[in-house]
Amino acid sequence: MIVASELSKAFRTTNGQMNQAVDAISFTVSAGEVYGLLGPNGAGKTTTLRMVMGLLSPDSGFATVDGARTDSQSTNSNQSEAVLSKLGMISTNDGVYPWLSVREMLSYFADLYGVPQALAKTRLSELAQLLDIEKVLNQRCSTLSTGQKQRVTFARGLMHDPPVMLLDEPTRGLDVVGSRTVFQFIDLLRQRGKAILLSTHRLDEAERVCDRFGLLHQGKIRYEGTLQGLQIATGREHLVDMFIDLIDQRGAA
Amino acid sequence: MIELVLSGRLWRMCVKELRETLRDRRTIFTLVLMPLLVYPVLSLALQRLILNSVSSNKSETIIVGVSSERNVDVLGAAINRSRQLTASDSYRPFRYSETVASADNPLKSKTRTSSQPIEWNAIVVEKPLKDSLEAGEVDVTVSITNRIDEESNTNQDDNRSNNFLFSVGYRENDSRSEFALSEMRKMLQTLNENEASELRIANGLSRGAPFEILATAIEGENSIASSLSSVIPLVLVLMTITGAVYPAIDLTAGERERGTMEALIATPISRFALLLSKYVAVLTVAVLTAIANLTAMFVTLRFSGLSEVLLGGHGFSLWSVIAVLPLLIVFAAFFSAILLALCSVAKSFKEAQAYLIPVIILSMGPGILSLLPSVRLTGTMAAIPLINMILMARECLAGDLEVIPGIIAVSTTLCYAIIAMSIASQLFGMHAVPQNSEVSWRSWLRAPNQTNRLTTLEHLTIYLAFFFPIYFVAIHLLAGFNEIDLQQRVWLNATATVLLFGALPLLFALWRKLSIPKTFPVGGISRWWLAIPGLLLISVSMWTVAHEILVFSELFGIASLDIEKLANLEKAKTEFLALPLTTVWISMAIIIAMAEEWFFRGFVLQGMLNRSKDARAAWISLLVSAILFGLFHTVAPNLLAIERFLPTTALGMIIGWIAWKTGSLIPGMIVHAIHNGLLFTMPRYEDLLRQWGLGIENQKHLPLTWIAGGLACLAIGILMVQVMTKQVEIKNVENIDF
């Protein structure tokens, strides 16, 4: 479903130097698979996700979803519309509209994706049940707790039922129970056959939920494969240890 | 886009934006509370100010300027008599309905306290009374004539039949002078009433009032009231801005600050649609604010009585409120777009505010400039944003709005709104993703990556939005050169036309990397040389059609020429006839035809034709370009030559059709140049033309034979072009297939 091919992106820092945030990253994610993009802060996870999403245009390389490129430069508007409809993105930075009710906000996004109103209605109640936000549907978003907000954000990303989900740190700021709910939900999405690209720092949960991993450091994928493959490649049993090795490498460099 | 509108999605998007804004307490604050607070407070302050200025110079004596000692005596006698009457008339001390009716008006109540007799001081003025009044040496001037004296004492038997005419001069808008006038009126009314009642008692007769007053105003200057009245539009405009600022920031930069922008940009909806829904919301709030302010101002002024003081006799009528509202809406449409363009680039609330504050302060500058009474809504002023709307509102309130500058002001303002929206739609969402720091307003100016692009509707809209104000200002600047020699003026005009219609679109096309050969196709003589005879027939016969349409449209009262302008035309004509014919042909026919064809048939028409090969679309493009051609020809300095619209549009259709059929601009240029040349040559052979029965000057119909001949020539010409280009078209298609 998702193919990232040699994605690169550099940013100009405030003192005018170029910082290679992502350096020729390639990976694929197929339907019904959860791919974990792991790495320390500043490794380039969010930038990668944004390039796959088409929000950032890569300096070189490209990403495709279902065979169609996501960068808007190479596609005409109709094509990019079709691609965008297949993608759902949930980010830790996502906010809610404080003055709208949950229902209004979700309906609004369904509308933006062109979901027919009747379908949007059934999907909304379905998602509300699934994510346990039925009780707050008519509340203003400003009154929600952090966990509720996160679940509303999940519902927002799923209103158009995209086959591909990009999840950027979906558990940051959530407590153990909250995180657990999120990962259970990711599991459910996988069962429904969605291709999921996940970036997270909850390594323990990631170990359980992800099918394959890419260990990102300083803009490059250092290791890639299943947990088993990684264990063989790094000689470490747990992701946490692999992680620390990576950071130590950085310290050594 | 159309689908979005039809499915109601755009509407629901707008509703969401409005919900978001209107539920926010801060919006409600500027929308409702501000006007409720500002106007009463402002009006209290104004009342204080005016009261001070009125009372400080009213309590003492009124200085009356008179021309002779005899007038002093008559005036003195009148004053004394009226004082006696007022003093004895204890049961009705104030008979003046206006005073009683506005008893709660502190300004008017000032006059009521004049039960203490007013001190009058008459001085004999040496120079003309008017001069002394203008210089402010006296409050009013009076010259008294006894009509009986003038009628050589025919009614000697009735010694009470005096009939005095008090000619009073006063300064308009000067409270002190107006007060003096009203006191004078009261005094004479007292005398008249007394006289009348005594007469009625004496012999039951009623005559005309023995004391008559004739008030003549001179224009007062720098009166507080008049300068305050021009503040009203500025206050309204600034308040409308205030209303729009918060939603504009909240719906753009706020979206980013809340973290909803990224999700919004990730949706397949176009950014323009997103921005449009936000624009509708900001505009709605701005208009609501304008309505709230207008209502609050109307109510405050009405009930505080400031209305008459500030706006003169007619006050702040409901009509003027209704007239100002559309202006505020146009202004809101303009400023909302500006605000969105500014806020779209901001990453946060703070940043947006940092951008907006200088803009608002800057816009105060022209706002204050427009307070000067000498600044009027004419010419170039009508094309300057903000100033034009404030001036228009001011003239609207004063009830002397002129139509043409008004139309120009509204249309240029809407042009600016379109430009601002196009900038905003480019910028909106660019900062959705952080670290993308290279994006700024400059990115809107940056040339696109692709080359050889085709003109889009957006290009055309933006270009026209820029071009119309420039064109309008240029026309006015050119009109300013009316004192230089006609020959120079003609060349100046030709140069300006080449720059405006030739160079500007070319520069725009180069900048936007449009395909030059496709936008301005000038080659390909092989494709249309066969059509030359047909083209010549069209060029020599087109004027008959244009003339008939002109006369026809005048039948329906579509005309802007009046006698005075015709007289000017006569003078211009003699000058014009003195020009060498070659100058006329080169500067007014050939150059102008080439430049106009380059723009209207090249940039506009080809730009649209290139989009689609569909014949129906081509006809629509033809019509649109012809209408534009017609519209531009109606714009003239300080007048709209609307009678030119229909004939020019018709010519635009014919020449546009030629350009479409031949695929080149050259044939159109030839036809256009010959047509123009003929029109300018004809007046030189007036006698000959008259022999032929053609009174071109008299706006009369042509003889039927001429109309028939012209139509026939035109039809044959068109047919020839059609046939000749058709054959070539087929050939061309074969070539392309190769």
Side-chain angles (χ1 to χ4, degrees), chain B residues 16-58:
Chain B
K16 170 256 168 186
E17 305 291 350
L18 265 176
R19 255 193 204 135
E20 217 191 324
T21 322
L22 291 178
R23 281 180 188 168
D24 196 333
R25 267 179 233 106
R26 283 164 287 191
T27 314
I28 301 303
F29 177 76
T30 45
L31 186 62
V32 182
L33 251 86
M34 287 278 275
L36 281 183
L37 285 173
V38 164
Y39 293 100
V41 171
L42 210 65
S43 82
L44 280 179
L46 280 182
Q47 280 187 352
R48 215 45 265 160
L49 191 70
I50 293 174
L51 269 185
N52 281 343
S53 75
V54 168
S55 54
S56 63
N57 54 17
K58 192 170 281 178

Short mmCIF file of all heavy atoms in Angstrom, two decimals, chain B residues 16-58:
data_model
loop_
_atom_site.label_atom_id
_atom_site.label_comp_id
_atom_site.label_asym_id
_atom_site.label_seq_id
_atom_site.Cartn_x
_atom_site.Cartn_y
_atom_site.Cartn_z
N LYS B 16 -19.64 26.01 9.69
CA LYS B 16 -18.69 25.59 10.73
C LYS B 16 -17.80 26.75 11.16
O LYS B 16 -17.60 26.99 12.35
CB LYS B 16 -17.85 24.42 10.21
CG LYS B 16 -16.68 24.04 11.10
CD LYS B 16 -15.36 24.54 10.54
CE LYS B 16 -14.22 24.45 11.52
NZ LYS B 16 -13.00 25.07 10.99
N GLU B 17 -17.28 27.48 10.17
CA GLU B 17 -16.39 28.60 10.51
C GLU B 17 -17.13 29.66 11.32
O GLU B 17 -16.61 30.19 12.29
CB GLU B 17 -15.82 29.24 9.24
CG GLU B 17 -15.10 28.29 8.30
CD GLU B 17 -13.79 27.78 8.85
OE1 GLU B 17 -13.33 28.30 9.89
OE2 GLU B 17 -13.23 26.85 8.26
N LEU B 18 -18.37 29.91 10.90
CA LEU B 18 -19.15 30.93 11.60
C LEU B 18 -19.46 30.50 13.02
O LEU B 18 -19.37 31.29 13.96
CB LEU B 18 -20.45 31.18 10.86
CG LEU B 18 -20.42 32.34 9.89
CD1 LEU B 18 -21.72 32.43 9.14
CD2 LEU B 18 -20.15 33.65 10.64
N ARG B 19 -19.82 29.22 13.16
CA ARG B 19 -20.10 28.67 14.50
C ARG B 19 -18.91 28.90 15.40
O ARG B 19 -19.02 29.37 16.52
CB ARG B 19 -20.33 27.17 14.37
CG ARG B 19 -21.77 26.79 14.50
CD ARG B 19 -21.87 25.30 14.68
NE ARG B 19 -23.19 24.89 14.24
CZ ARG B 19 -23.44 23.86 13.48
NH1 ARG B 19 -22.44 23.09 13.05
NH2 ARG B 19 -24.66 23.57 13.12
N GLU B 20 -17.76 28.51 14.84
CA GLU B 20 -16.54 28.59 15.61
C GLU B 20 -16.27 30.03 16.07
O GLU B 20 -15.87 30.27 17.20
CB GLU B 20 -15.39 28.11 14.73
CG GLU B 20 -14.36 27.32 15.46
CD GLU B 20 -13.14 27.13 14.58
OE1 GLU B 20 -13.30 26.98 13.37
OE2 GLU B 20 -12.04 27.17 15.12
N THR B 21 -16.52 30.96 15.16
CA THR B 21 -16.24 32.35 15.49
C THR B 21 -17.27 32.93 16.44
O THR B 21 -16.93 33.58 17.42
CB THR B 21 -16.24 33.21 14.22
OG1 THR B 21 -15.66 32.46 13.19
CG2 THR B 21 -15.48 34.47 14.41
N LEU B 22 -18.53 32.67 16.11
CA LEU B 22 -19.57 33.35 16.86
C LEU B 22 -19.76 32.78 18.26
O LEU B 22 -20.33 33.43 19.13
CB LEU B 22 -20.89 33.32 16.08
CG LEU B 22 -20.88 34.18 14.83
CD1 LEU B 22 -22.19 34.07 14.09
CD2 LEU B 22 -20.60 35.64 15.16
N ARG B 23 -19.28 31.53 18.47
CA ARG B 23 -19.38 30.99 19.83
C ARG B 23 -18.28 31.53 20.71
O ARG B 23 -18.29 31.34 21.92
CB ARG B 23 -19.29 29.46 19.77
CG ARG B 23 -20.60 28.82 19.35
CD ARG B 23 -20.45 27.33 19.31
NE ARG B 23 -21.63 26.72 18.72
CZ ARG B 23 -21.67 25.45 18.37
NH1 ARG B 23 -20.61 24.68 18.54
NH2 ARG B 23 -22.76 24.95 17.84
N ASP B 24 -17.32 32.15 20.08
CA ASP B 24 -16.18 32.65 20.83
C ASP B 24 -16.55 33.99 21.47
O ASP B 24 -17.01 34.90 20.80
CB ASP B 24 -15.01 32.84 19.86
CG ASP B 24 -13.70 32.98 20.58
OD1 ASP B 24 -13.72 33.44 21.74
OD2 ASP B 24 -12.67 32.64 20.00
N ARG B 25 -16.34 34.05 22.77
CA ARG B 25 -16.75 35.25 23.48
C ARG B 25 -16.05 36.50 22.98
O ARG B 25 -16.59 37.58 22.97
CB ARG B 25 -16.49 35.08 24.97
CG ARG B 25 -17.69 34.56 25.72
CD ARG B 25 -17.36 34.38 27.17
NE ARG B 25 -17.69 33.02 27.57
CZ ARG B 25 -16.80 32.08 27.80
NH1 ARG B 25 -15.51 32.35 27.69
NH2 ARG B 25 -17.17 30.86 28.14
N ARG B 26 -14.80 36.31 22.52
CA ARG B 26 -14.03 37.49 22.10
C ARG B 26 -14.65 38.12 20.86
O ARG B 26 -14.63 39.33 20.69
CB ARG B 26 -12.59 37.10 21.87
CG ARG B 26 -11.83 36.93 23.17
CD ARG B 26 -10.54 36.18 22.97
NE ARG B 26 -10.79 34.76 22.73
CZ ARG B 26 -9.83 33.84 22.73
NH1 ARG B 26 -8.57 34.19 22.93
NH2 ARG B 26 -10.11 32.58 22.51
N THR B 27 -15.21 37.27 19.99
CA THR B 27 -15.89 37.83 18.82
C THR B 27 -17.10 38.63 19.25
O THR B 27 -17.33 39.74 18.78
CB THR B 27 -16.35 36.71 17.87
OG1 THR B 27 -15.28 35.80 17.72
CG2 THR B 27 -16.76 37.26 16.54
N ILE B 28 -17.86 38.02 20.13
CA ILE B 28 -19.08 38.68 20.60
C ILE B 28 -18.74 40.02 21.24
O ILE B 28 -19.46 41.00 21.11
CB ILE B 28 -19.83 37.77 21.60
CG1 ILE B 28 -20.19 36.46 20.92
CG2 ILE B 28 -21.07 38.44 22.13
CD1 ILE B 28 -21.01 36.60 19.67
N PHE B 29 -17.60 40.04 21.91
CA PHE B 29 -17.19 41.27 22.57
C PHE B 29 -17.05 42.41 21.57
O PHE B 29 -17.66 43.46 21.71
CB PHE B 29 -15.87 41.04 23.32
CG PHE B 29 -15.33 42.28 23.97
CD1 PHE B 29 -15.88 42.77 25.14
CD2 PHE B 29 -14.28 42.97 23.39
CE1 PHE B 29 -15.41 43.91 25.73
CE2 PHE B 29 -13.79 44.12 23.97
CZ PHE B 29 -14.35 44.59 25.15
N THR B 30 -16.25 42.15 20.50
CA THR B 30 -16.07 43.23 19.52
C THR B 30 -17.35 43.50 18.75
O THR B 30 -17.61 44.60 18.32
CB THR B 30 -14.96 42.90 18.50
OG1 THR B 30 -15.14 41.57 18.05
CG2 THR B 30 -13.60 43.09 19.08
N LEU B 31 -18.14 42.44 18.60
CA LEU B 31 -19.33 42.58 17.77
C LEU B 31 -20.43 43.36 18.47
O LEU B 31 -21.04 44.24 17.90
CB LEU B 31 -19.82 41.17 17.40
CG LEU B 31 -20.98 41.09 16.43
CD1 LEU B 31 -20.58 41.69 15.11
CD2 LEU B 31 -21.39 39.65 16.24
N VAL B 32 -20.67 43.05 19.72
CA VAL B 32 -21.82 43.63 20.40
C VAL B 32 -21.41 44.70 21.42
O VAL B 32 -21.88 45.82 21.40
CB VAL B 32 -22.64 42.53 21.12
CG1 VAL B 32 -23.85 43.13 21.78
CG2 VAL B 32 -23.04 41.46 20.13
N LEU B 33 -20.47 44.31 22.28
CA LEU B 33 -20.15 45.20 23.39
C LEU B 33 -19.48 46.49 22.95
O LEU B 33 -19.81 47.57 23.43
CB LEU B 33 -19.28 44.48 24.41
CG LEU B 33 -20.04 44.19 25.70
CD1 LEU B 33 -20.79 42.89 25.57
CD2 LEU B 33 -19.11 44.17 26.87
N MET B 34 -18.52 46.34 22.04
CA MET B 34 -17.79 47.52 21.60
C MET B 34 -18.72 48.63 21.11
O MET B 34 -18.66 49.75 21.62
CB MET B 34 -16.77 47.15 20.52
CG MET B 34 -15.60 46.40 21.06
SD MET B 34 -14.36 47.50 21.76
CE MET B 34 -13.45 47.91 20.29
N PRO B 35 -19.58 48.33 20.12
CA PRO B 35 -20.45 49.41 19.65
C PRO B 35 -21.36 49.93 20.75
O PRO B 35 -21.61 51.14 20.83
CB PRO B 35 -21.27 48.78 18.52
CG PRO B 35 -20.86 47.38 18.41
CD PRO B 35 -19.71 47.12 19.30
N LEU B 36 -21.82 49.02 21.62
CA LEU B 36 -22.72 49.46 22.69
C LEU B 36 -22.02 50.44 23.62
O LEU B 36 -22.63 51.34 24.17
CB LEU B 36 -23.24 48.26 23.48
CG LEU B 36 -24.36 47.48 22.81
CD1 LEU B 36 -24.84 46.36 23.71
CD2 LEU B 36 -25.51 48.42 22.46
N LEU B 37 -20.72 50.22 23.80
CA LEU B 37 -19.98 51.08 24.72
C LEU B 37 -19.42 52.31 24.01
O LEU B 37 -19.54 53.42 24.49
CB LEU B 37 -18.82 50.30 25.34
CG LEU B 37 -19.18 49.29 26.40
CD1 LEU B 37 -17.97 48.47 26.80
CD2 LEU B 37 -19.76 50.02 27.62
N VAL B 38 -18.84 52.05 22.84
CA VAL B 38 -18.07 53.11 22.20
C VAL B 38 -18.93 54.34 21.88
O VAL B 38 -18.57 55.46 22.21
CB VAL B 38 -17.38 52.58 20.93
CG1 VAL B 38 -16.91 53.73 20.05
CG2 VAL B 38 -16.22 51.70 21.31
N TYR B 39 -20.08 54.10 21.24
CA TYR B 39 -20.82 55.25 20.73
C TYR B 39 -21.40 56.14 21.82
O TYR B 39 -21.25 57.36 21.74
CB TYR B 39 -21.84 54.82 19.69
CG TYR B 39 -21.13 54.31 18.48
CD1 TYR B 39 -20.98 52.95 18.26
CD2 TYR B 39 -20.52 55.19 17.59
CE1 TYR B 39 -20.26 52.49 17.18
CE2 TYR B 39 -19.80 54.73 16.51
CZ TYR B 39 -19.68 53.37 16.31
OH TYR B 39 -18.96 52.92 15.25
N PRO B 40 -22.04 55.56 22.83
CA PRO B 40 -22.52 56.44 23.89
C PRO B 40 -21.38 57.24 24.53
O PRO B 40 -21.49 58.44 24.73
CB PRO B 40 -23.15 55.48 24.90
CG PRO B 40 -23.54 54.31 24.09
CD PRO B 40 -22.51 54.18 23.03
N VAL B 41 -20.26 56.56 24.79
CA VAL B 41 -19.13 57.26 25.41
C VAL B 41 -18.62 58.35 24.48
O VAL B 41 -18.41 59.49 24.87
CB VAL B 41 -18.00 56.25 25.75
CG1 VAL B 41 -16.76 56.98 26.19
CG2 VAL B 41 -18.48 55.29 26.82
N LEU B 42 -18.48 57.95 23.20
CA LEU B 42 -17.98 58.90 22.21
C LEU B 42 -18.91 60.10 22.10
O LEU B 42 -18.48 61.25 22.05
CB LEU B 42 -17.89 58.20 20.86
CG LEU B 42 -16.83 58.69 19.91
CD1 LEU B 42 -15.45 58.43 20.48
CD2 LEU B 42 -16.98 58.01 18.55
N SER B 43 -20.21 59.82 22.12
CA SER B 43 -21.16 60.91 21.92
C SER B 43 -21.18 61.82 23.14
O SER B 43 -21.31 63.04 23.02
CB SER B 43 -22.54 60.38 21.62
OG SER B 43 -23.19 60.03 22.82
N LEU B 44 -21.00 61.23 24.34
CA LEU B 44 -20.92 62.06 25.54
C LEU B 44 -19.73 63.00 25.44
O LEU B 44 -19.82 64.20 25.71
CB LEU B 44 -20.79 61.19 26.78
CG LEU B 44 -22.10 60.57 27.29
CD1 LEU B 44 -21.83 59.72 28.51
CD2 LEU B 44 -23.10 61.68 27.61
N ALA B 45 -18.60 62.42 25.00
CA ALA B 45 -17.39 63.22 24.88
C ALA B 45 -17.59 64.34 23.86
O ALA B 45 -17.23 65.49 24.11
CB ALA B 45 -16.23 62.34 24.47
N LEU B 46 -18.23 64.00 22.76
CA LEU B 46 -18.46 64.99 21.71
C LEU B 46 -19.36 66.11 22.21
O LEU B 46 -19.11 67.29 21.97
CB LEU B 46 -19.11 64.33 20.50
CG LEU B 46 -18.18 63.58 19.56
CD1 LEU B 46 -18.96 63.02 18.39
CD2 LEU B 46 -17.10 64.52 19.07
N GLN B 47 -20.39 65.70 22.95
CA GLN B 47 -21.33 66.70 23.46
C GLN B 47 -20.61 67.69 24.36
O GLN B 47 -20.79 68.89 24.28
CB GLN B 47 -22.43 66.02 24.24
CG GLN B 47 -23.47 65.44 23.32
CD GLN B 47 -24.65 64.93 24.11
OE1 GLN B 47 -24.60 64.88 25.33
NE2 GLN B 47 -25.68 64.54 23.40
N ARG B 48 -19.76 67.12 25.21
CA ARG B 48 -18.98 67.94 26.12
C ARG B 48 -18.18 68.97 25.32
O ARG B 48 -18.18 70.16 25.59
CB ARG B 48 -18.03 67.00 26.86
CG ARG B 48 -17.65 67.22 28.30
CD ARG B 48 -18.67 67.56 29.27
NE ARG B 48 -18.77 69.00 29.46
CZ ARG B 48 -19.82 69.59 29.97
NH1 ARG B 48 -20.88 68.89 30.34
NH2 ARG B 48 -19.86 70.89 30.14
N LEU B 49 -17.53 68.40 24.29
CA LEU B 49 -16.65 69.22 23.47
C LEU B 49 -17.41 70.35 22.80
O LEU B 49 -17.02 71.51 22.84
CB LEU B 49 -16.01 68.31 22.40
CG LEU B 49 -14.87 68.89 21.60
CD1 LEU B 49 -13.66 69.03 22.51
CD2 LEU B 49 -14.54 67.97 20.44
N ILE B 50 -18.56 69.97 22.22
CA ILE B 50 -19.33 70.97 21.49
C ILE B 50 -19.93 71.98 22.46
O ILE B 50 -19.89 73.18 22.23
CB ILE B 50 -20.42 70.30 20.65
CG1 ILE B 50 -19.73 69.48 19.56
CG2 ILE B 50 -21.35 71.32 20.05
CD1 ILE B 50 -20.68 68.66 18.76
N LEU B 51 -20.43 71.47 23.58
CA LEU B 51 -20.99 72.36 24.59
C LEU B 51 -19.98 73.39 25.01
O LEU B 51 -20.27 74.58 25.09
CB LEU B 51 -21.42 71.55 25.82
CG LEU B 51 -22.85 71.06 25.81
CD1 LEU B 51 -23.16 70.39 27.12
CD2 LEU B 51 -23.78 72.23 25.57
N ASN B 52 -18.78 72.92 25.27
CA ASN B 52 -17.73 73.84 25.69
C ASN B 52 -17.51 74.91 24.64
O ASN B 52 -17.47 76.08 24.93
CB ASN B 52 -16.42 73.08 25.92
CG ASN B 52 -16.46 72.38 27.26
OD1 ASN B 52 -17.30 72.72 28.11
ND2 ASN B 52 -15.58 71.43 27.46
N SER B 53 -17.41 74.45 23.41
CA SER B 53 -17.10 75.41 22.36
C SER B 53 -18.27 76.36 22.15
O SER B 53 -18.09 77.50 21.79
CB SER B 53 -16.76 74.69 21.07
OG SER B 53 -17.94 74.18 20.50
N VAL B 54 -19.48 75.85 22.40
CA VAL B 54 -20.65 76.71 22.22
C VAL B 54 -20.78 77.69 23.38
O VAL B 54 -20.92 78.88 23.20
CB VAL B 54 -21.93 75.86 22.09
CG1 VAL B 54 -23.16 76.72 22.20
CG2 VAL B 54 -21.91 75.11 20.78
N SER B 55 -20.68 77.15 24.60
CA SER B 55 -20.97 78.00 25.76
C SER B 55 -19.85 79.01 25.99
O SER B 55 -20.10 80.10 26.48
CB SER B 55 -21.14 77.14 27.00
OG SER B 55 -20.02 76.32 27.16
N SER B 56 -18.65 78.65 25.58
CA SER B 56 -17.54 79.55 25.87
C SER B 56 -17.70 80.89 25.14
O SER B 56 -17.17 81.89 25.57
CB SER B 56 -16.22 78.91 25.48
OG SER B 56 -16.23 78.69 24.09
N ASN B 57 -18.42 80.87 24.03
CA ASN B 57 -18.51 82.15 23.32
C ASN B 57 -19.94 82.60 23.10
O ASN B 57 -20.23 83.39 22.25
CB ASN B 57 -17.78 82.05 21.97
CG ASN B 57 -18.29 80.87 21.17
OD1 ASN B 57 -19.36 80.34 21.46
ND2 ASN B 57 -17.53 80.49 20.17
N LYS B 58 -20.86 82.04 23.89
CA LYS B 58 -22.23 82.40 23.62
C LYS B 58 -22.84 83.31 24.69
O LYS B 58 -23.71 84.11 24.40
CB LYS B 58 -23.08 81.13 23.49
CG LYS B 58 -24.45 81.42 22.92
CD LYS B 58 -25.15 80.17 22.59
CE LYS B 58 -24.67 79.60 21.29
NZ LYS B 58 -25.32 78.34 20.97
#
